[in-house]
Amino acid sequence: RMELVESGGGSVQAGGSLKLSCTASEYSYCMAWFRQAPGKEREGVATINIGRGNRGGETYYDDSVKGRFTISQDNAKRMVYLQMNGLKPEDTAMYYCAARRTYCSVLHDADSYNYWGQGTQVTVSS
């Protein structure tokens, strides 16, 4: 069973930056970052196809984070990152790393991912 471990969360002021990291115990085809705020559903933030074949490196973003967040990978280390710049109070949530064993072609719903990390909290104050 694949294990995912997130790190890098914390508290920042609006306009600040954070970089989240996710380490996977195995290779997968697609990894993503989701977030869930209290009382809200889990929503996809960004996804990346893992560097293998001609689909590797493809990325997809939710409109709310385009231009502010960047997802990237270090395939040799089985790590995925989420660089978050220009953070807003509405970005406050628990952020989860997820993986699936097929390539992604869009920002898929949470149900399509097979493995999840425990989450890391991001809090943005105004």
Side-chain angles (χ1 to χ4, degrees):
R1 176 180 173 83
M2 183 184 299
E3 294 186 354
L4 302 173
V5 179
E6 305 99 333
S7 62
S11 297
V12 296
Q13 290 190 330
S17 298
L18 283 173
K19 185 174 184 178
L20 306 183
S21 299
C22 174
T23 304
S25 61
E26 304 173 25
Y27 287 105
S28 63
Y29 282 83
C30 174
M31 294 182 69
W33 287 97
F34 281 75
R35 65 187 179 187
Q36 188 167 19
K40 295 188 176 181
E41 293 187 355
R42 192 169 295 191
E43 62 177 6
V45 175
T47 187
I48 186 167
N49 283 330
I50 300 304
R52 197 182 318 180
N54 60 3
R55 298 290 307 275
E58 291 178 358
T59 58
Y60 304 91
Y61 294 91
D62 184 76
D63 287 345
S64 66
V65 305
K66 283 181 180 177
R68 299 189 299 124
F69 291 10
T70 302
I71 190 169
S72 61
Q73 61 175 308
D74 184 332
N75 197 34
K77 297 181 179 179
R78 296 195 303 275
M79 294 188 71
V80 171
Y81 307 97
L82 185 68
Q83 177 67 47
M84 304 185 294
N85 299 327
L87 282 162
K88 304 176 181 180
E90 51 263 44
D91 294 319
T92 295
M94 184 72 78
Y95 282 70
Y96 297 90
C97 179
R100 51 182 266 166
R101 295 197 179 278
T102 55
Y103 281 129
C104 291
S105 55
V106 293
L107 194 60
H108 294 283
D109 291 341
D111 289 347
S112 72
Y113 288 84
N114 308 106
Y115 306 101
W116 292 85
Q118 294 300 306
T120 185
Q121 178 68 38
V122 171
T123 303
V124 185
S125 58
S126 58

